[in-house]
Amino acid sequence: MSVAWKFPDAPNTACFTTTEVLNGAPIVLVSHDYEGDWQFHAASNETMLSSVKIVCLADMIRRDDLLAELHGLPCGWGAQRDDWAGHWERFKDKPFPAFAEQGYYLEDAVWLSRYLTDIEPPPAAVRDALPIGACVKLVFRFAAEDGARGDGQCERMWVQVTGIDEYEGCYSGTIANHPQHAVASYGDLLAFHPLHVADIASEQD
């Protein structure tokens, strides 16, 4: 491989593409969905089931070195370009907060728990079935998604569930704390995913 491996995913990570791409068409659309899956599409963006192929991530990077520029593309984001050598334009492909729009984004609590011992998200079955009125703790990061990490960027705040979007597989809720960062406020409405849930308040909290 002609470029250093910078993706957090392993080189043998399974990802999705199409027969058109494997036949040599330029990749102009990349999706990194919120479940962590990568998709690579040509201009026609074939979606027929018969055209979908599973390949490893490293194979896609070998086909096009410029894909390595997307190593920091967050889950729930996509990138597109006009042609093989074009500049990647990143875009949000999810309803959740983004730094460019809200001044913060929500950390993946399950991912954080691999590195922080004081974050222990509830089981997936619990996070996937939150009732209206539940209070959950989310980790807000007041910095760019691909920015260098530093002290004072994150706040852990309670959010009360006010809605359930079964189609998107996510929730809506309002901030139940008074944030230290001025770009967020008590009562602000936001969308969040079960993966964002770091804790659930008990009746005694």
Side-chain angles (χ1 to χ4, degrees):
M1 192 175 301
S2 59
V3 293
W5 190 260
K6 297 182 179 180
F7 286 82
D9 306 277
N12 64 349
T13 297
C15 55
F16 300 94
T17 190
T18 65
T19 53
E20 185 177 9
V21 168
L22 296 182
N23 287 335
I27 298 168
V28 297
L29 176 64
V30 176
S31 172
H32 192 197
D33 70 32
Y34 213 80
E35 302 305 322
D37 293 325
W38 290 91
Q39 299 181 33
F40 300 91
H41 296 279
S44 68
N45 195 16
E46 291 184 56
T47 56
M48 292 180 59
L49 185 60
S50 61
S51 75
V52 175
K53 302 297 180 182
I54 298 177
V55 296
C56 71
L57 184 57
D59 184 53
M60 300 309 299
I61 307 306
R62 278 191 291 267
R63 289 173 175 272
D64 184 350
D65 284 357
L66 293 181
L67 291 173
E69 297 176 3
L70 302 178
H71 65 87
L73 190 70
C75 292
W77 284 68
Q80 58 188 6
R81 60 185 178 180
D82 293 331
D83 54 44
W84 202 301
H87 173 71
W88 290 110
E89 296 289 341
R90 292 164 171 78
F91 59 90
K92 186 177 77 166
D93 192 24
K94 58 183 176 60
F96 314 122
F99 178 74
E101 298 174 1
Q102 283 79 25
Y104 64 86
Y105 72 95
L106 301 174
E107 293 272 30
D108 180 335
V110 175
W111 176 81
L112 275 182
S113 68
R114 303 175 190 171
Y115 307 97
L116 301 177
T117 57
D118 61 341
I119 292 184
E120 298 182 12
V126 175
R127 291 183 281 110
D128 290 341
L130 299 174
I132 299 293
C135 279
V136 296
K137 184 174 289 184
L138 310 182
V139 181
F140 294 66
R141 184 178 179 225
F142 296 85
E145 286 83 353
D146 58 353
R149 291 184 176 270
D151 294 338
Q153 293 179 344
C154 294
E155 288 189 56
R156 303 180 188 187
M157 291 188 281
W158 293 107
V159 170
Q160 185 170 32
V161 178
T162 59
I164 302 171
D165 188 332
E166 295 183 357
Y167 177 78
E168 293 284 354
C170 64
Y171 303 97
S172 58
T174 54
I175 297 177
N177 291 106
H178 292 279
Q180 296 178 0
H181 291 79
V183 295
S185 301
Y186 175 87
D188 281 356
L189 181 66
L190 56 91
F192 64 95
H193 190 275
L195 288 173
H196 293 137
V197 177
D199 196 6
I200 301 176
S202 65
E203 294 182 359
Q204 290 76 31
D205 289 339

